[in-house]
Amino acid sequence: CDSGFGKAAAKRLDWLGFEVFATVLDLSGEGARDLQRTCSPCLTLLQVDITQPQQVQQALLDTEAKLGLKGLWGLVNNAGVCVNFGDAELSLMSNYRGCMEVNFFGTLSVTKSFLPLLRRSKGRIVTVSSPAGDQPFPSALNLAMNTLRHELQPWGVHVSTILPSSYKTGQSSNHAYWEQQHKQLLQSLPAALLEDYGEDYINETKELFQSHGHQANEDFSPVIDAIVQALLSPRPLVRYFAGPGVGLMYFINNYFPFSVRDRFLQKLFVKKTLKPRALRKQHGFDVHLNNNNNNDEDKVTQ
């Protein structure tokens, strides 16, 4: 809850009268200080790195001690990082592992740790995920939450997933951050792979990511509204589409043929104008070969 959806959700839920336990990476950071300044004494700050099991367990103990006989009504999973940009072959394995540690294993660790409290209260699990989890990349987190939804139905625990459109959270619009990621990627790629794709191809991908981040929405209210609805509704939805275009994307994905889905994805998200360098060279060779063949045919005809 240092920033983004987490901090906004903590403020809204505190304003609504919930007793909020807000986890932050740094108790002395600006995000934590802002929550202390603006929220009621009912909000409790907990310093937690969700990739560290000991800190997750300590947060559980602190929460149980503060709640006493009261139950825990809801768990809102919000932590997430995005450090990959570009083609899968170009992305570093260290980035894949870093994303999984936070976005999947960390979230799953927190959820499993707090499940006994949620089962006793027949409460709610609300997870802010990403539409990229289903479009176009398979998401371990979305699948795990769907599995939990089925398994926890007999316990009376409702599981909902929030799927936001594009919002300015985390590092999404941080120009210096993406420049650093870009530089690290170029330095880490094998020379042969960089030759096949081309630095101009990778530069275009970086520029598309930065453009996407700058155009993202700064108003988090659709996401926060969805979180509140998932916590308070007598019959919460399985999925909440928070922001423009997400519902349409899922509709096309579920009901249209692959050819239409792929064209939609290319037009709406990818928008690349360059092909990898090796493919451009191959295309140029094919064109040259075709021209030569045409000239030979003309000679034979004459």
Side-chain angles (χ1 to χ4, degrees), residues 149-176:
R149 181 175 64 83
H150 289 288
E151 293 177 350
L152 295 173
Q153 279 179 348
W155 294 92
V157 177
H158 292 278
V159 179
S160 298
T161 302
I162 314 295
L163 298 163
S165 57
S166 179
Y167 291 90
K168 286 189 177 181
T169 62
Q171 304 286 4
S172 62
S173 58
N174 186 335
H175 180 80

Side-chain angles (χ1 to χ4, degrees), residues 114-164:
F114 282 82
L115 262 179
L117 294 180
L118 294 164
R119 285 192 287 103
R120 286 200 291 270
S121 65
K122 300 185 187 300
R124 308 286 171 87
I125 299 172
V126 180
T127 301
V128 180
S129 185
S130 168
D134 288 329
Q135 286 294 323
F137 311 110
S139 167
L141 180 60
N142 288 357
L143 293 173
M145 289 302 138
N146 200 43
T147 299
L148 283 173
R149 181 175 64 83
H150 289 288
E151 293 177 350
L152 295 173
Q153 279 179 348
W155 294 92
V157 177
H158 292 278
V159 179
S160 298
T161 302
I162 314 295
L163 298 163

Side-chain angles (χ1 to χ4, degrees), residues 8-178:
K11 289 183 176 184
R12 174 80 71 84
L13 293 170
D14 177 75
W15 180 79
L16 288 171
F18 280 87
E19 183 175 358
V20 177
F21 296 85
T23 61
V24 294
L25 278 172
D26 184 4
L27 283 174
S28 61
E30 176 55 35
R33 293 199 301 270
D34 182 46
L35 287 173
Q36 287 175 323
R37 286 193 304 267
T38 58
C39 293
S40 75
C42 293
L43 182 136
T44 300
L45 288 175
L46 301 171
Q47 183 163 314
V48 182
D49 178 346
I50 65 172
T51 67
Q52 302 299 317
Q54 301 90 341
Q55 293 188 29
V56 174
Q57 285 302 309
Q58 187 60 52
L60 174 62
L61 294 174
D62 293 342
T63 302
E64 288 178 319
K66 186 77 182 288
L67 286 174
L69 297 176
K70 294 180 290 185
L72 180 67
W73 176 247
L75 171 67
V76 179
N77 291 312
N78 171 69
V81 294
C82 175
V83 294
N84 278 347
F85 66 92
D87 300 51
E89 188 178 12
L90 297 174
S91 299
L92 305 177
M93 285 305 301
S94 59
N95 286 351
Y96 281 118
R97 293 189 178 97
C99 281
M100 288 296 288
E101 280 297 326
V102 176
N103 298 4
F104 179 70
F105 292 116
T107 299
L108 191 58
S109 172
V110 172
T111 303
K112 282 172 58 67
S113 297
F114 282 82
L115 262 179
L117 294 180
L118 294 164
R119 285 192 287 103
R120 286 200 291 270
S121 65
K122 300 185 187 300
R124 308 286 171 87
I125 299 172
V126 180
T127 301
V128 180
S129 185
S130 168
D134 288 329
Q135 286 294 323
F137 311 110
S139 167
L141 180 60
N142 288 357
L143 293 173
M145 289 302 138
N146 200 43
T147 299
L148 283 173
R149 181 175 64 83
H150 289 288
E151 293 177 350
L152 295 173
Q153 279 179 348
W155 294 92
V157 177
H158 292 278
V159 179
S160 298
T161 302
I162 314 295
L163 298 163
S165 57
S166 179
Y167 291 90
K168 286 189 177 181
T169 62
Q171 304 286 4
S172 62
S173 58
N174 186 335
H175 180 80
Y177 171 80
W178 289 112

Side-chain angles (χ1 to χ4, degrees), residues 134-137 251-267:
D134 288 329
Q135 286 294 323
F137 311 110
F251 179 80
I252 291 175
N253 177 60
N254 289 327
Y255 296 104
F256 282 68
F258 279 105
S259 58
V260 176
R261 291 160 53 180
D262 290 347
R263 285 199 297 271
F264 174 77
L265 175 66
Q266 290 285 336
K267 185 175 182 179

Side-chain angles (χ1 to χ4, degrees), residues 208-271:
L208 286 171
F209 263 76
Q210 290 178 331
S211 174
H212 184 70
H214 288 307
Q215 294 170 12
N217 194 349
E218 296 182 5
D219 178 15
F220 298 161
S221 58
V223 179
I224 309 309
D225 291 343
I227 291 173
V228 172
Q229 290 173 26
L231 288 171
L232 294 182
S233 173
R235 300 181 66 179
L237 301 178
V238 174
R239 282 176 170 170
Y240 289 86
F241 302 123
V246 185
L248 174 63
M249 183 178 68
Y250 270 84
F251 179 80
I252 291 175
N253 177 60
N254 289 327
Y255 296 104
F256 282 68
F258 279 105
S259 58
V260 176
R261 291 160 53 180
D262 290 347
R263 285 199 297 271
F264 174 77
L265 175 66
Q266 290 285 336
K267 185 175 182 179
L268 190 63
F269 294 106
V270 182
K271 298 180 180 178

